[in-house]
């Protein structure tokens, strides 16, 4: 399973990368705004900064919503760095644009996916990644992890190469459940990745090992 971090915060990206387990970054306009990164030039610069930290897989989201504009914006984003994956919303023109960008050799991430049907369309268009938002489904009393499982099964049935990227992950159990049902990637906040470290028996066990060592080597 690959881990992406879902943020535009450079310190958090560096911290996750330094842990040695980070495979990529996802961003979106809301995450950019949260960091105070506004305006075209500043947003492009932030993508460059992120690409300079990580090895690959930096999702950069288009804000265009019509075919020609999505393709044009996507091509410009892809020119920033070979690590860029162009993130395109699951709308009719987005599906068409994914097909076009894919034919041009540009990797895409189809975002704002909330149903198996949308995931089939993304795969048929040739998306490199499909991003079902599980937390937002849970928010409306719908089982987000069940959607991941459905999409994984459907993709296996037909050998679709699109990677299932579980997004809108809110806590460590989401991540573990996504791993259980076979998501290819989980994108999550830093707190979810570091949350995997935690177990009270690890802490108390280490404390005992170290105190016994100190007693024997006083
Ligand atoms: O990757 C998509 C993600 O950023 C959405 O997360 O928490 O806004 O639903 P959230």
């Amino acid at each position: 399973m690959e881990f992406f971090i879902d943020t535009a915060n450079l310190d958090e990206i560096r911290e996750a990368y330094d842990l040695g387990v980070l495979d990529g970054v996802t961003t979106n306009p809301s995450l950019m705004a949260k960091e105070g990164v506004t305006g075209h030039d500043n947003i492009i610069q932030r993508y460059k900064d992120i690409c300079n930290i990580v090895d690959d897989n930096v999702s950069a989201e288009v804000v265009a919503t019509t075919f020609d504009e999505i393709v044009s914006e996507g091509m410009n984003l892809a020119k920033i760095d070979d690590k860029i994956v162009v993130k395109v919303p699951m709308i009719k023109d987005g599906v068409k644009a994914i097909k076009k960008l894919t034919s041009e050799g540009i990797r895409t991430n189809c975002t704002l996916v909330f149903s198996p049907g949308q995931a089939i369309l993304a795969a048929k268009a040739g998306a490199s990644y499909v991003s079902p938002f599980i937390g937002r489904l849970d928010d409306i009393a719908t089982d987000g992890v069940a959607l991941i499982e459905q999409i994984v099964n459907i993709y296996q049935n037909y050998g679709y190469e699109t990677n299932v990227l579980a997004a809108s992950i809110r806590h460590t159990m989401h991540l573990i459940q996504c791993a259980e049902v076979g998501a290819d990637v989980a994108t999550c906040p830093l707190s979810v990745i570091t949350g995997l470290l935690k177990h009270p028996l690890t802490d108390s066990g280490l404390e005992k090992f170290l105190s016994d060592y100190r007693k024997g080597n006083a």
Side-chain angles (χ1 to χ4, degrees):
M1 185 186 217
E2 295 200 314
F3 283 1
F4 292 179
I5 188 167
D6 196 29
T7 185
N9 181 295
L10 298 178
D11 290 336
E12 291 184 4
I13 294 167
R14 276 190 209 99
E15 186 176 338
Y17 184 77
D18 287 347
L19 195 58
V21 298
L22 191 67
D23 302 293
V25 180
T26 52
T27 61
N28 61 40
S30 302
L31 292 171
M32 284 286 181
K34 186 176 166 199
E35 298 306 319
V37 181
T38 55
H40 176 266
D41 291 353
N42 291 331
I43 289 171
I44 299 298
Q45 184 57 48
R46 182 56 60 106
Y47 289 137
K48 288 181 184 168
D49 293 342
I50 294 171
C51 287
N52 285 335
I53 298 172
V54 299
D55 298 330
D56 197 10
N57 297 317
V58 176
S59 278
E61 185 158 343
V62 299
V63 289
T65 55
T66 60
F67 173 74
D68 288 337
E69 288 176 357
I70 295 172
V71 171
S72 162
E73 188 183 354
M75 286 185 166
N76 285 331
L77 288 170
K79 280 183 201 148
I80 296 172
D81 196 293
D82 286 346
K83 297 173 187 174
I84 293 286
V85 177
V86 177
K87 207 168 174 189
V88 179
M90 169 41 73
I91 55 176
K92 193 194 240 180
D93 283 41
V95 172
K96 285 167 63 179
I98 287 168
K99 180 88 180 173
K100 174 69 177 164
L101 291 167
T102 302
S103 75
E104 299 288 334
I106 293 170
R107 292 180 294 167
T108 57
N109 173 357
C110 184
T111 190
L112 289 167
V113 166
F114 294 94
S115 77
Q118 291 178 324
I120 293 171
L121 280 176
K124 285 189 67 68
S128 317
Y129 298 93
V130 65
S131 288
F133 280 25
I134 67 172
R136 293 192 193 183
L137 283 170
D138 286 2
D139 287 345
I140 57 160
T142 303
D143 189 342
V145 174
L147 174 63
I148 299 294
E149 188 169 21
Q150 267 183 301
I151 297 171
V152 167
N153 288 337
I154 291 168
Y155 282 9
Q156 276 172 0
N157 287 345
Y158 296 98
Y160 289 138
E161 289 176 5
T162 301
N163 290 290
V164 180
L165 193 173
S168 183
I169 286 182
R170 302 278 169 75
H171 47 71
T172 53
M173 281 312 294
H174 264 159
L175 192 150
I176 290 162
Q177 288 163 345
C178 286
E180 284 178 333
V181 300
D184 299 290
V185 190
T187 190
C188 41
L190 178 64
S191 60
V192 172
I193 298 174
T194 55
L196 297 175
L197 285 165
K198 292 179 190 158
H199 199 289
L201 290 178
T202 303
D203 297 340
S204 59
L206 181 61
E207 201 177 311
K208 175 87 169 80
F209 284 157
L210 294 180
S211 78
D212 287 345
Y213 173 83
R214 280 191 291 267
K215 274 184 227 155
N217 292 276

